């Protein structure tokens, strides 16, 4: 399936970096753990970093019921960006970044159905820590009442990717200057136990797996 093409999602510059396949959107979202939520509150713009989760073609966001940034029915913009490398060119003008980014527009709805609300919270939890939802205590009724979950359809979205070496002017190739890409990578470290943890409780396998795996296979973000 292809992504939508609207006035807001159509690239004005560097159109060759646009990704039209919907799977590219899923890849960017499923590789991240934090998004930036752009909203207008009382006429003033705010950009708020927050966790998210995806279930099919729905993006879920959550927060306190008192959060003014989670008003349903207002137009929002959600972005997710992965920095993959610093592109060092021979000229200052052609320095760039290798990245993968997604931008989603729309009007979210407040999730009122109890089952869907749990689905959204599960998606957010699993995006941050795969396997965690199966072992934690589920939200109590009071906690559910204090939490707002928004559902944003992935209907209007764009994906932009820049990869590869610098693109210098032809005449600059003769300069005795190094050019190339400095990769940027994000890895998980050793799990740090809560100081109040009961003695003898081991690190869960799904947590240990991500830590061990990061030493051998670097996760690019």
């Amino acid at each position: 399936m292809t992504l939508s093409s609207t006035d807001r999602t159509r690239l004005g510059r560097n159109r060759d970096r646009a990704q039209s396949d919907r799977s590219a959107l899923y890849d960017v979202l499923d590789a991240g753990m934090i998004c930036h939520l752009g909203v207008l509150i009382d006429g003033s713009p705010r950009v708020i970093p927050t966790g998210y989760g995806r279930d099919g073609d729905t993006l879920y966001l959550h927060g306190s019921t008192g959060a003014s940034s989670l008003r349903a029915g207002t137009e929002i913009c959600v972005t997710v960006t992965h920095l993959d490398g610093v592109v060092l060119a021979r000229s200052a003008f052609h320095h760039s970044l290798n990245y993968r980014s997604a931008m989603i527009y729309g009007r979210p709805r407040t999730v009122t159905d109890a089952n869907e609300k749990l689905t959204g919270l599960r998606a957010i939890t699993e995006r941050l820590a795969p396997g965690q939802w199966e072992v934690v205590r589920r939200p109590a009724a009071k906690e559910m009442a204090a939490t707002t979950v928004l559902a944003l359809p992935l209907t209007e979205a764009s994906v932009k990717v820049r990869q590869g070496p610098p693109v210098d002017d032809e005449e600059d190739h003769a300069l005795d200057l190094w050019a190339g890409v400095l990769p940027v990578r994000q890895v998980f470290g050793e799990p740090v136990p809560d100081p109040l943890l009961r003695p003898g409780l081991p690190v869960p396998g799904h947590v240990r797996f991500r830590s061990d795996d990061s030493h051998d296979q670097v996760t690019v973000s």
Side-chain angles (χ1 to χ4, degrees):
M1 293 178 61
T2 58
L3 291 172
S4 61
S5 181
T6 68
D7 289 340
R8 295 191 293 190
T9 62
R10 194 175 297 112
L11 297 185
R13 295 179 62 253
N14 301 126
R15 295 185 180 181
D16 58 310
R17 299 180 185 179
Q19 302 289 306
S20 60
D21 198 285
R22 180 161 289 272
S23 63
L25 173 64
Y26 299 155
D27 289 344
V28 171
L29 296 178
D30 294 347
M33 290 182 287
I34 189 169
C35 70
H36 286 85
L37 167 65
V39 294
L40 273 176
I41 300 176
D42 299 327
S44 177
R46 298 187 191 180
V47 178
I48 303 156
T50 185
Y52 67 91
R54 181 181 74 88
D55 185 70
D57 278 327
T58 301
L59 192 74
Y60 288 103
L61 307 164
H62 83 303
S64 167
T65 53
S68 56
S69 59
L70 296 180
R71 295 172 182 167
T74 59
E75 197 78 18
I76 67 171
C77 177
V78 175
T79 61
V80 175
T81 302
H82 304 283
L83 176 60
D84 295 328
V86 179
V87 181
L88 305 169
R90 296 167 181 82
S91 68
F93 181 80
H94 286 297
H95 277 61
S96 187
L97 298 170
N98 281 343
Y99 62 88
R100 293 159 289 146
S101 66
M103 183 176 291
I104 304 106
Y105 294 97
R107 293 181 181 271
R109 60 179 172 81
T110 300
V111 177
T112 56
D113 178 78
N115 289 331
E116 187 186 3
K117 198 169 185 179
L118 281 174
T119 295
L121 293 174
R122 181 185 186 280
I124 295 167
T125 302
E126 288 293 292
R127 177 85 306 273
L128 296 174
Q132 190 73 358
W133 186 258
E134 300 304 320
V135 300
V136 297
R137 175 181 65 79
R138 303 297 166 83
K142 185 176 181 180
E143 294 169 330
M144 291 286 282
T147 303
T148 294
V149 175
L150 295 184
L152 178 66
L154 299 176
T155 305
E156 188 180 5
S158 66
V159 176
K160 192 175 179 181
V161 175
R162 199 274 187 207
Q163 299 292 316
V167 182
D168 273 310
D169 294 333
E170 186 67 31
E171 58 269 24
D172 286 340
H173 292 168
L175 296 175
D176 291 329
L177 294 171
W178 188 91
V181 176
L182 181 64
V184 177
R185 298 185 174 96
Q186 179 175 280
V187 298
F188 293 102
E190 288 295 321
V192 179
D194 180 355
L196 301 180
L197 197 68
R198 289 170 49 199
L201 289 177
V203 177
H206 65 281
V207 176
R208 172 61 66 187
F209 172 78
R210 296 185 89 184
S211 175
D212 292 342
D213 187 57
S214 69
H215 297 307
D216 301 321
Q217 185 175 350
V218 175
T219 302
V220 177
S221 179

